[in-house]
C-alpha cells in the first residue's frame, strides 16, 4: 500500500529514487552501463566451465549476506556490500558483475534501491567497491602475503581490502550527492557522517570477508582468484602450482 | 595453520554444494536475526527527521534528505521489502527465493559470456555445450 508521501521502510538498504536529481542519476546510469560492458568484455577470459558455477554462487552468497544487517551504533546498522569479497574470489570483472546482478534483483524484485538510482548504486557498490577492494587486495597481498603465505595472512589482506572498498563506495555516494543532491543538507555534514558510519561498517564487512575468504582458501585454494593469479615463485603452502 | 601436503581435501562438487547451503541458511534463517535499524546510507538520509504515525502510515517530519525520496516503482512487487506479499515472518522465504533467483540469473549470464568466448575460440559455429 503506497501512499503519496514516501514512507520509511525497515529494510531499505540502498539509495532510493529522488535522492539524487535526474540528470546526475542518468549520468551515473551511463557510467554504470559503460563500466559493466567493459567488465563483460574482460570477464570472458576469466569465465569457463570451472569458474561459472563458483561465480554464480558468489553472487547468490552476497545476496544472502547483504540481508544480514549488523548494529554499528545505537539505531544504525550496516551490511556487507561484497565488492572486495567478490573480487578476491572470482576477480574484479566477474566480481563487479556479481554485485550488479545482486543490485538489479534487489531493485526489481524486492523494491530495495531505486530503479532510477540503479546507476549510482551500481557505480558505488559494484564498480567502485569491487575495484578499490581488488587493488588494495593485490597491494596488500604483495606486501604481506606473498613471501610466506598463510591462510591467516590472506585473512588480513581480505579485511583491509573490504574496509577500503566500503569507504570508497561511501565516497561514491558523497560525490553523487555533491553533484546532484536533491536536499539542502550540507555536503560536509553528509560526507562526515557517511565516512564515519562506513568506517564502522567496513570493519564488519572486513571480518565477514576475511572469514569467508579464509574458509574458501582452506577448502579449495584453487578457487580463490587472488591466489590463482598472483603467482608466486616461492613454494607456497596454500596456493596451487600453476 | 597452513595446509601443506594436500591442498585439495574437498571435492569441487562438495565445496560448491556447501557454499550453496551456506547462502540458503544465511538468507533463510540467519536473516531473522538481522538488525532492523536503518543502515549507514539510510540513516544519513534520515538525519534531521523524525518518523511520525499519521493515520496509520509512517511519515517523516522535520528536514532531511529522505524526504526527497519518491515511492519505489516496484513497491507493489509481491516480494517488496523482503517479505512475501507483506505477510509477517516470511523474511526467510523471500531470502531463499532471492538467493535462487540471483543464482539463476548469475549462472545464466556467466554461462552466456563463457560460451560466447568458446564460440569465438573454436572454429565451429556450435558454441556453448
Amino acid at each position: 500500500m503506497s501512499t503519496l508521501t514516501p514512507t520509511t521502510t525497515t529494510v531499505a538498504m540502498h539509495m532510493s529514487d529522488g535522492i539524487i536529481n535526474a540528470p546526475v542519476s542518468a549520468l551515473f546510469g551511463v557510467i554504470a552501463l559503460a563500466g559493466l560492458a567493459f567488465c563483460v568484455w574482460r570477464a570472458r577470459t576469466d569465465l569457463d566451465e570451472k569458474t561459472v558455477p563458483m561465480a554464480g554462487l558468489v553472487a547468490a552468497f552476497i545476496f544472502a549476506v547483504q540481508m544480514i544487517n549488523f548494529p554499528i551504533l545505537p539505531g544504525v546498522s550496516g551490511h556487507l556490500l561484497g565488492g572486495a569479497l567478490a573480487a578476491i574470489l572470482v576477480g574484479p570483472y566477474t566480481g563487479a558483475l556479481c554485485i550488479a546482478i545482486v543490485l538489479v534483483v534487489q531493485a526489481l524484485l524486492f523494491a530495495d534501491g531505486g530503479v532510477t538510482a540503479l546507476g549510482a548504486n551500481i557505480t558505488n557498490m559494484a564498480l567502485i567497491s569491487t575495484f578499490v577492494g581488488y587493488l588494495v587486495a593485490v597491494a596488500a597481498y604483495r606486501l604481506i602475503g606473498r613471501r610466506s603465505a598463510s591462510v591467516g595472512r590472506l585473512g588480513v589482506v581480505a579485511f583491509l581490502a573490504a574496509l577500503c572498498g566500503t569507504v570508497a563506495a561511501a565516497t561514491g555516494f558523497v560525490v553523487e550527492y555533491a553533484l546532484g543532491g536533491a536536499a539542502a543538507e550540507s555536503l560536509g555534514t553528509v560526507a562526515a557522517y557517511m565516512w564515519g558510519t562506513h568506517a564502522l561498517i567496513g570493519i564488519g564487512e572486513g571480518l565477514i570477508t576475511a572469514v569467508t575468504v579464509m574458509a574458501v582458501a582452506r577448502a579449495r585454494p584453487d578457487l580463490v582468484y587472488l591466489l590463482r593469479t598472483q603467482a608466486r615463485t616461492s613454494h607456497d603452502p596454500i596456493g596451487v602450482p600453476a | 595453520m597452513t595446509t601443506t601436503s594436500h591442498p585439495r581435501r574437498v571435492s569441487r562438487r562438495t565445496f560448491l554444494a556447501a557454499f550453496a547451503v551456506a547462502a540458503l541458511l544465511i538468507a533463510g534463517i540467519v536473516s531473522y536475526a538481522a538488525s532492523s535499524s536503518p543502515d549507514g546510507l539510510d540513516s544519513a538520509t534520515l538525519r534531521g527527521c523524525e518518523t511520525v504515525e499519521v493515520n496509520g502510515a509512517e511519515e517523516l517530519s522535520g528536514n532531511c534528505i529522505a524526504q526527497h525520496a519518491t515511492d519505489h516503482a516496484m513497491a507493489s512487487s509481491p516480494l517488496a521489502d523482503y517479505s512475501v506479499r507483506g505477510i509477517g515472518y516470511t523474511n526467510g522465504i523471500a531470502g531463499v527465493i532471492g538467493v535462487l533467483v540471483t543464482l539463476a540469473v548469475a549462472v545464466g549470464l556467466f554461462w552466456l559470456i563463457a560460451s560466447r568466448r568458446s564460440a569465438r575460440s573454436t572454429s565451429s559455429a556450435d558454441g556453448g555445450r
Side-chain angles (χ1 to χ4, degrees), chain B residues 48-118:
Chain B
C49 280
E50 282 196 354
T51 309
V52 289
E53 288 262 325
V54 180
N55 307 328
E58 286 186 338
E59 282 188 17
L60 297 173
S61 75
N63 206 341
C64 64
I65 301 172
Q67 284 170 315
H68 296 264
T70 51
D71 271 336
H72 200 287
M74 300 290 159
S76 56
S77 158
L79 292 171
D81 289 343
Y82 299 89
S83 65
V84 181
R85 297 183 179 280
I87 301 165
Y89 303 107
T90 51
N91 199 330
I93 300 168
V96 167
I97 294 170
V99 166
L100 296 175
V101 170
T102 305
L103 181 64
V105 171
V107 168
L109 177 75
F110 294 147
W111 180 80
L112 211 68
I113 294 172
S115 64
R116 294 229 9 221
R117 168 192 172 210
S118 55

Side-chain angles (χ1 to χ4, degrees), chain A residues 49-142:
Chain A
E49 306 81 62
K50 278 185 168 183
T51 50
V52 164
M54 177 69 180
L57 282 170
V58 165
F61 183 80
I62 286 168
F63 176 92
V65 180
Q66 283 210 356
M67 290 181 75
I68 314 302
N69 284 58
F70 46 84
I72 55 164
L73 289 169
V76 185
S77 73
H79 62 82
L80 178 107
L81 306 182
L85 175 61
I88 291 170
L89 292 180
V90 295
Y93 306 109
T94 308
L97 295 174
C98 284
I99 310 293
I101 290 165
V102 169
L103 294 172
V104 169
V105 168
Q106 286 171 333
L108 298 186
L109 216 55
F110 294 90
D112 179 16
V115 177
T116 61
L118 253 178
N121 281 325
I122 285 175
T123 302
N124 298 343
M125 288 181 275
L127 299 175
I128 296 176
S129 101
T130 306
F131 281 92
V132 169
Y134 185 70
L135 292 174
V136 172
V138 170
Y141 190 68
R142 287 180 181 175

Side-chain angles (χ1 to χ4, degrees), chain B residues 14-35:
Chain B
T14 306
F15 172 81
L16 295 176
F19 203 17
V21 167
L24 291 170
L25 287 177
I26 289 166
I29 294 168
V30 182
S31 58
Y32 286 103
S35 161

